[in-house]
Amino acid sequence: MPNTLKRLWRFFASVPFALLILLVLAVTSIIGTLIKQDQEPNYYLETFGETIAGLLDTLQFTSMYSSWWYLLLLMIFALNLLICSIDRFPTTWRLITAPPAPPDTRQRNTAGPERTITSPLTAIHCTEQLQETLMRHRWRDLVEQQSAEGQLITGQRGKWSRLSVYGVHLSILIILAGAVIGGVTGFKAYVFLPEGRSTEAIFLQGNRQPIALGFTLACDQAQVKRYADGSVSEYRADLRIVDARNSTSYEQSVIVNHPLSYDGINFYLAEFYPLDEYYVVISNLQTGAQQAFRAPPHEVFSWPETQVNIELAEFTRNPEGYVQLARIRFAAGENTPAEDFWVRNHQSITFAGNNQEYQVSVSQLSSVLLLANKDPGVMIVYSGFILMLIGLPWCFLTSHQRIRITITKQKTGCRIGVDGSSNKHHQRLENQLDDLTSELRATAQRGE
């Protein structure tokens, strides 16, 4: 590898560079938390003023998490993590696959001083007994060899725990990949959808550019349910999707925090707005005939077959703009004088006119604000978090442990020395070696 590439490799593999990238990401994330993201341009003008709002827009701080420079930072961090992992993997693999060897002095000290036992058994009998005991305590890769100190048994366990850190690294890379994919190909948008209307497009938050849905989204009905005291108990919108591409028709009622999901797009119910438009239904109770109108206020509309004329003449409203009572001016027949009736919103009233009995209901229409988002990377991010939930306990709760047992012949019996090493959790290894030594000492005293 040329020197330039080596220096570049070492730069990206360095821990200080990783810390620098993490610091930059942390600072920019704080900025993204303090500044509301993906708001209307007027919001930033009113909040920060024209100069600062223009600067924030130029630096893309108003849609930071999908900006090119933030996604570039994520990719640089991912590259740093990948190179660090590749650079250190060969050493880790050698430690995993290397045959058990006697720990050096530094490693031996990690488990405290050597523990000694005297046994009346012969060295051969002790060796067989020790191997059985070690296998029972889940020590693996046992190797018996001759050394200057006598007979030597070495073993290890948890060697694959050294790969746990790479599992965590992989989970972070998967999360970063999902975030970049979502930032590049996803979007956040909105649409105002009046009751009884449909749309085939939504609009990006921020620049209001239209996005074609590829299907028709309709709002069949919008309802505001209230408690007895008049406070709102539930907002509900009955949405319908018609997809001509595969002749699909799908209906779902959407309430707050229960979105409609279709074709990778999630539609969330955000706000309700009362319209100055009304759905009026007139029924002739004697003949069963019925006529429905979508009517604006203060405009006379007719039911030609019955010579009925009706006008929504006056309203009383609550502070939110919703109609409470509507005054209907009703005339049945050309020469019949108009009569006034008051009817409650979403209710009906029955009256007689021109020798007929009629029923009229009035319902104020609403418009719903739907927030839409599409994030193709979200499932990738979820899979990364699942892998991290597996990798973190594996990384922090397991360790690679080695054990060394020396059997030295004496005039009567033999002397057994026990020590070991661990790449972490040294106190745990000491406790395990103490338990093992206690068991071996009890066995030696029984002469088994």
Side-chain angles (χ1 to χ4, degrees):
M1 184 183 294
N3 291 333
T4 304
L5 291 179
K6 282 184 179 179
R7 287 195 295 270
L8 189 62
W9 181 272
R10 290 172 184 170
F11 174 72
F12 274 99
S14 65
V15 174
F17 179 70
L19 294 176
L20 175 63
I21 293 296
L22 284 174
L23 178 62
V24 174
L25 284 171
V27 171
T28 53
S29 296
I30 291 173
I31 295 174
T33 302
L34 295 176
I35 300 174
K36 286 188 177 182
Q37 300 292 297
D38 300 312
Q39 300 297 309
E40 293 291 323
N42 289 338
Y43 168 81
Y44 299 106
L45 288 172
E46 295 172 1
T47 306
F48 301 103
E50 185 177 353
T51 303
I52 297 179
L55 180 63
L56 293 177
D57 184 62
T58 302
L59 297 176
Q60 294 185 309
F61 279 145
T62 57
S63 55
M64 193 185 75
Y65 298 114
S66 58
S67 64
W68 68 267
W69 59 265
Y70 190 81
L71 296 178
L72 180 62
L73 282 175
L74 293 181
M75 289 188 285
I76 291 174
F77 177 60
L79 182 63
N80 168 257
L81 189 61
L82 181 62
I83 291 177
C84 283
S85 301
I86 294 174
D87 190 64
R88 291 161 176 75
F89 184 77
T91 301
T92 303
W93 187 251
R94 283 195 296 270
L95 290 171
I96 292 173
T97 57
D104 57 25
T105 304
R106 178 183 60 80
Q107 290 175 320
R108 189 178 304 176
N109 289 337
T110 61
E114 183 182 57
R115 295 149 177 82
T116 58
I117 307 168
T118 57
S119 174
L121 301 176
T122 64
I124 295 176
H125 193 180
C126 275
T127 300
E128 295 175 353
Q129 187 184 71
L130 284 170
Q131 288 187 348
E132 292 177 1
T133 304
L134 291 174
M135 290 292 291
R136 191 168 62 253
H137 283 261
R138 295 182 291 107
W139 289 95
R140 299 293 181 263
D141 300 328
L142 300 180
V143 175
E144 181 184 347
Q145 54 187 308
Q146 198 69 30
S147 70
E149 302 176 7
Q151 198 72 12
L152 181 67
I153 299 176
T154 58
Q156 61 181 334
R157 63 184 177 187
K159 63 181 182 179
W160 298 109
S161 67
R162 291 184 179 272
L163 292 179
S164 60
V165 66
Y166 297 99
V168 175
H169 287 185
L170 179 60
S171 68
I172 295 174
L173 290 173
I174 292 174
I175 292 170
L176 292 175
V180 171
I181 291 172
V184 172
T185 62
F187 58 78
K188 291 182 179 180
Y190 70 95
V191 65
F192 289 95
L193 193 57
E195 218 176 331
R197 305 294 188 192
S198 63
T199 182
E200 295 182 352
I202 53 180
F203 302 89
L204 286 176
Q205 295 181 15
N207 59 18
R208 302 184 182 181
Q209 292 296 315
I211 301 175
L213 290 173
F215 54 86
T216 301
L217 175 66
C219 178
D220 292 333
Q221 189 176 23
Q223 296 177 322
V224 181
K225 295 184 179 179
R226 299 180 181 274
Y227 294 110
D229 61 0
S231 60
V232 176
S233 64
E234 182 184 74
Y235 291 104
R236 177 183 294 271
D238 297 331
L239 302 181
R240 176 169 46 89
I241 286 176
V242 178
D243 194 340
R245 297 171 298 183
N246 50 21
S247 302
T248 298
S249 181
Y250 177 71
E251 298 179 3
Q252 180 179 325
S253 294
V254 177
I255 59 177
V256 177
N257 296 326
H258 288 78
L260 162 66
S261 299
Y262 186 81
D263 200 27
I265 304 176
N266 300 312
F267 296 94
Y268 294 88
L269 183 60
E271 295 285 349
F272 261 59
Y273 297 95
L275 295 176
D276 205 11
E277 192 174 7
Y278 305 86
Y279 187 68
V280 180
V281 179
I282 307 173
S283 302
N284 188 319
L285 299 180
Q286 290 175 306
T287 65
Q290 189 178 80
Q291 179 68 47
F293 302 89
R294 190 182 181 102
H298 314 299
E299 183 177 315
V300 178
F301 48 96
S302 302
W303 184 4
E305 292 82 357
T306 60
Q307 296 182 341
V308 166
N309 295 314
I310 192 168
E311 176 188 359
L312 300 176
E314 187 180 351
F315 306 94
T316 63
R317 305 175 188 269
N318 65 14
E320 298 173 347
Y322 284 98
V323 167
Q324 296 174 311
L325 291 169
R327 182 165 63 88
I328 302 173
R329 179 161 292 173
F330 184 89
E334 295 182 357
N335 300 319
T336 304
E339 296 183 68
D340 289 347
F341 302 92
W342 286 91
V343 59
R344 288 191 174 276
N345 191 16
H346 298 293
Q347 293 186 16
S348 60
I349 187 172
T350 302
F351 52 86
N354 197 23
N355 299 321
Q356 300 288 326
E357 190 174 14
Y358 296 94
Q359 185 180 70
V360 178
S361 65
V362 177
S363 299
Q364 185 182 20
L365 298 176
S366 299
S367 178
V368 296
L369 170 60
L370 298 175
L371 299 181
N373 69 57
K374 183 176 184 179
D375 189 353
V378 67
M379 296 308 298
I380 300 175
V381 172
Y382 286 160
S383 63
F385 275 115
I386 292 173
L387 180 59
M388 182 176 286
L389 290 175
I390 298 171
L392 284 175
W394 186 27
C395 182
F396 288 108
L397 300 180
T398 61
S399 59
H400 185 191
Q401 300 175 342
R402 296 179 184 272
I403 193 171
R404 161 188 163 139
I405 298 181
T406 306
I407 306 171
T408 306
K409 293 181 180 179
Q410 294 182 332
K411 290 183 179 180
T412 57
C414 61
R415 174 184 174 277
I416 303 171
V418 180
D419 63 11
S421 67
S422 176
N423 66 331
K424 52 188 173 182
H425 305 308
H426 305 306
Q427 185 59 49
R428 181 191 299 174
L429 178 61
E430 286 193 33
N431 296 337
Q432 291 170 346
L433 292 183
D434 286 340
D435 293 340
L436 178 62
T437 303
S438 298
E439 181 177 335
L440 293 175
R441 185 176 288 112
T443 302
Q445 289 175 353
R446 292 196 302 268
E448 296 178 358

